[in-house]
Amino acid sequence: MLSEQDILSALEAGKPISGSFAEGAFHLEVKEYVPYVATAVHAGHKVRASLKSLYAISEADRLQEEDPFTDDMVASLPITLIAKDSRYEYDLNRAPEQAIYDQAWGKQVWHEQLPSHELDLSLSKHAAYYRILGALLTALERRFGACVLFDVHSYNHQIRHHHYAPTFNLGTTQLDTLRFRTVLDELKKQLVSKKIAGQPVDCAENTVFQGHGYQTTFVTANFSNTLVMPLEVKKIFMDETTGELFPVVFDKLQRHLHLTLSKTARAFAKYHCYKPLRKAKLNSLLDPAILNVDSALYRLARNLDTLHYVNPTNIAQEKRRFFAKRHYLPAFKYRPLRIDPYEFKEQLYRLPVNKIQDPVVKSLYRKVIDSYATKIELITQIGREAFLYNSLRYYGEPDFNDIKNATFLLHARETEVQPEKNITAEQALVRFNQAIETMGLPCKVAISSKLVAKAMVDNGKRLLLVNSNAMLSELDINALIEHEIGVHLLTTLNAEAQQLKVLHLGLPGNTYTQEGLAIFREYQSGQINLTRLKVLALRVIAVNMMLKGDNFYQVFEFLVDSKILNTNEAFALTTRVFRGGGFTKDHLYLKGFKDVVQLSTQRSLDNLYLGKTGLAHLDILDTLVEQGVFTSAKHLPDSSRDPQPNPILSYLISSIN
């Protein structure tokens, strides 16, 4: 419990504030001084004991007209001022002389006129709120030159008829809309930028409510450089009649509002403050609950590498048998799983993610946990029929568009002589070591006889492994330098540089993103040719054939007949697709490449290099870097010497969609 003087002293000194005041009527949270505040003046349901017997209206009727959960909608923002008392005690959004209802929404509020001492006490709380709000805005205007206040409410749409009930309503009648139009439009744009629980959202201005509230009146009259944004949220997140919360919808709404209000505040600061918002300092702001979940998740999942388990241990033996008898179906063997999958999932879902306050970070960890739960089911079923089902759950399958794109590339006509593959694994190792030394990366290279691919990165060991049987061309070497070192190793090192280890483990969709980004670097650096694109297309077709029921030999024969791969390469690709019992991962390379190329024309991709990230989370990563949750990527590819793209390849790539 804080006194008003405690709060005023802290504001003067620029210190963090966390506590209640006015006998618990309000809660003020200042985690960091920023030029934006969120309020929830109708969130409260509490009434003091001396008033309870005087109410003529039921508690359930009161709850219907209050704005429950609006405090939680904004709780993750740096500065919040929350009302704990019910609006039926006094309404902060009405002037003092009108703040205590006689009737509200057609219902009598009191059995009889309130005693004067009760009226005085209620109005004294009303006055205390505005004294503290005034002091807070004064401090922020002095520090930043301007401030924005998000005045968050909710409204009924089930028990009350509206001709048009938008998901969000912005009330602007008291605002200087000419001066602040850019920021108002930014808020509206962000509000409708995402679906909520799969449903499209809309935003209207002055449709359901016009923004006539007293808080807006008070602020606009007393603070010329503070913009109030009265925002009404339709109660899609709860049952209006019972007060029951819909948790899934609310979580998505909470996360959406956090991102929306944060981005709008940055736009406001850019146009109206002394200087744009700076990035937060990482170490000073990370919620201990985030660190706790992150470290526990990392300890639990860091050694769960799908490829370690899904790569067969007897490839060389089965390859000899297959070439001796072409219709032989390889019987691959795999490493045993060294963890109890049921205990693993139990520990995953025991992690205290619900204690993380930031809704965006909380959602991110929940998605990673769900992804690892699916991953352990995938690994558990290696070599069994259920493996294919779990592979489809984890990696998906090629859709009509993927197959169409692959077929299009396979029909493209070769115009170049194929480079000779005369570089051995031992010679490649020397070249890779030279590249790593030139880049100044703390990594090693080794040769392995247990790989299906030509090369791969062991993230846990900072190690680039080269297939002992690989025969490579000069183009292959340069492409692998860009692909394996320039993306996979770089993102591993960037992930290790983060305080949080979640980007080392990988976000959902990181395979699709990593491979798409790696092939994009091959393309940017000029180390890709049409044959490489055709090999990516063959992976899509091979996965689709496997899913349609073709066996190992049939897929192998198709690949050989394509004249794109030799028999060794065809065997390697067929093995990639059939290992484990049906591994659908390979269709993601072409899809990821296509999507990264398209995204690169619209925005920076730098934050994809933070670690094992996901394209679907790029906007969120941008926000978390700005907030200091993650630091900017330490290592980025050197694109300064990238040549002009090959016009034929550029045409082909631009033609897939």
Side-chain angles (χ1 to χ4, degrees), residues 420-423 428 432 454 470-474 476-477 480:
E420 186 178 357
K421 297 179 183 288
N422 56 4
I423 301 174
F432 292 144
K454 295 173 184 175
M471 292 298 295
L472 305 170
S473 67
E474 184 68 22
D476 290 334
I477 293 290
L480 286 170

Side-chain angles (χ1 to χ4, degrees), residues 407-532:
T407 304
F408 169 77
L409 290 174
L410 290 174
H411 280 91
R413 182 176 165 185
E414 291 278 7
T415 59
E416 298 178 0
V417 177
Q418 296 306 304
E420 186 178 357
K421 297 179 183 288
N422 56 4
I423 301 174
T424 66
E426 290 75 13
Q427 293 169 320
L429 183 144
V430 174
R431 294 285 301 277
F432 292 144
N433 272 321
Q434 290 172 344
I436 285 172
E437 185 177 350
T438 300
M439 295 180 191
L441 303 177
C443 306
K444 295 180 180 179
V445 187
I447 294 176
S448 172
S449 61
K450 298 179 180 179
L451 295 187
V452 177
K454 295 173 184 175
M456 66 167 282
V457 170
D458 184 329
N459 294 317
K461 298 178 181 178
R462 295 183 178 179
L463 182 64
L464 173 61
L465 297 170
V466 184
N467 190 322
S468 58
N469 295 316
M471 292 298 295
L472 305 170
S473 67
E474 184 68 22
L475 183 66
D476 290 334
I477 293 290
N478 293 331
L480 286 170
I481 288 172
E482 297 295 337
H483 186 115
E484 300 293 343
I485 300 174
V487 174
H488 294 327
L489 269 177
L490 243 60
T491 52
T492 294
L493 295 174
N494 286 335
E496 290 179 358
Q498 301 291 338
Q499 184 174 356
L500 297 177
K501 299 303 181 186
V502 69
L503 297 185
H504 187 82
L505 295 174
L507 302 183
N510 73 84
T511 300
Y512 145 77
T513 303
Q514 280 278 297
E515 301 306 340
L517 200 58
I519 297 163
F520 179 63
R521 270 307 301 157
E522 294 179 39
Y523 170 60
Q524 276 189 311
S525 60
Q527 306 302 331
I528 197 169
N529 60 8
L530 180 55
T531 299
R532 171 65 164 154

Side-chain angles (χ1 to χ4, degrees), residues 92 151 155 293 306 350 428 484 628-629:
L92 289 169
D151 179 16
Y155 78 94
V293 169
T306 305
R350 283 199 203 110
E484 300 293 343
V629 175

Side-chain angles (χ1 to χ4, degrees), residues 210-256:
Q210 291 72 44
H212 290 304
Y214 179 70
Q215 179 163 254
T216 304
T217 304
F218 171 84
V219 173
T220 54
N222 292 284
F223 297 92
S224 59
N225 291 320
T226 295
L227 167 63
V228 187
M229 300 178 111
L231 181 64
E232 293 277 353
V233 182
K234 184 163 67 171
K235 290 183 180 177
I236 58 171
F237 55 88
M238 64 177 289
D239 187 321
E240 296 171 11
T241 57
T242 66
E244 179 186 4
L245 184 70
F246 305 146
V248 173
V249 178
F250 184 77
D251 283 350
K252 294 183 183 299
L253 172 63
Q254 185 186 43
R255 184 169 71 251
H256 180 55

Side-chain angles (χ1 to χ4, degrees), residues 321-329 553 556-557 560 567:
R321 288 178 175 175
F322 178 79
F323 281 116
K325 185 179 180 182
R326 284 294 179 92
H327 287 279
Y328 172 75
L329 300 181
Y553 173 75
F556 171 82
E557 284 293 298
V560 171
T567 54

Side-chain angles (χ1 to χ4, degrees), residues 48 50-51 54 88-90 96-102 110 112-127:
R48 60 183 183 270
S50 60
L51 293 178
L54 303 178
Y88 280 86
E89 187 171 324
Y90 52 92
E97 60 274 13
Q98 300 171 326
I100 300 175
Y101 306 146
D102 291 323
W110 310 102
E112 56 189 43
Q113 187 172 351
L114 289 181
S116 59
H117 67 278
E118 296 288 5
L119 292 170
D120 291 343
L121 180 53
S122 292
L123 291 177
S124 71
K125 292 183 179 182
H126 187 285

Side-chain angles (χ1 to χ4, degrees), residues 50-90:
S50 60
L51 293 178
K52 288 184 178 180
S53 63
L54 303 178
Y55 278 111
I57 193 169
S58 70
E59 183 177 1
D61 285 341
R62 282 197 288 113
L63 182 62
Q64 282 189 353
E65 302 301 341
E66 292 163 346
D67 297 350
F69 309 113
T70 50
D71 51 346
D72 293 328
M73 286 182 194
V74 299
S76 60
L77 295 176
I79 304 178
T80 55
L81 181 54
I82 307 298
K84 297 295 184 180
D85 287 345
S86 172
R87 68 190 301 180
Y88 280 86
E89 187 171 324
Y90 52 92

